Amino acid sequence: MRLVVALVATLSAGAALAQDAPSGLADAGAAVLRGLDKVAGTAADIELAIGQSVDYGQIRITLDACRYPPSDPSSNAYAFVTVEEKDAAPVFSGWMIADSPALSAVDHQRYDVWVIRCKTE
C-alpha cells in the first residue's frame, strides 16, 4: 500500500511540474513542433510563431509561448501548446518539454504532437 501511495505522489508531482515552466528562461518568438499521424504513419515538422495556429489533419495546434535556457538554447525547450479537434474542446492545453515529451503528452487517438525546439533567430 505504501508503494502505491508513493507512486501516486510521484506521478502527481510530475504532472504539476509539467504545467509550469522553470524560472530564468528566455522567451522565443517561435517554435518547431513535430506532428505524427499514427494512422497514416507520417510525421511533419511544424514551425509556429507565438500566437499562431495551424491545422494538422483533423486537429488545430496553437503555440502560446516558447521558452529556453539562455545559456544553452539548444539544450531544452518549454512550449505552451493547445491542441484541439476542429470546432471542439481542447484535447491538450499546457506546457510541453522537449527533453521529456512523455511528461505532458497529447492524448489523441490519431495524432501525437511534441515540441522539438524554440526558434531563437
Side-chain angles (χ1 to χ4, degrees):
M1 183 65 171
R2 289 182 189 174
L3 179 60
V4 172
V5 171
L7 181 60
V8 169
T10 302
L11 292 174
S12 298
L17 289 174
Q19 294 304 313
D20 295 320
S23 61
L25 298 174
D27 289 322
V32 177
L33 307 174
R34 183 159 295 149
L36 171 66
D37 183 332
K38 296 182 270 190
V39 174
T42 58
D45 286 353
I46 303 162
E47 293 188 19
L48 290 172
I50 302 301
Q52 184 180 10
S53 296
V54 67
D55 291 341
Y56 180 71
Q58 300 169 3
I59 60 173
R60 174 167 289 136
I61 304 165
T62 304
L63 178 67
D64 294 312
C66 195
R67 299 182 183 148
Y68 63 93
S71 59
D72 187 8
S74 63
S75 67
N76 206 359
Y78 303 85
F80 194 91
V81 177
T82 302
V83 178
E84 57 193 347
E85 298 237 12
K86 293 180 183 171
D87 302 321
V91 174
F92 176 87
S93 183
W95 288 99
M96 292 183 171
I97 304 168
D99 70 356
S100 300
L103 184 61
S104 54
V106 172
D107 185 22
H108 192 274
Q109 65 272 18
R110 180 165 183 170
Y111 300 100
D112 279 339
V113 177
W114 63 96
V115 62
I116 300 295
R117 63 184 169 86
C118 292
K119 290 190 73 168
T120 57
E121 330 154 332

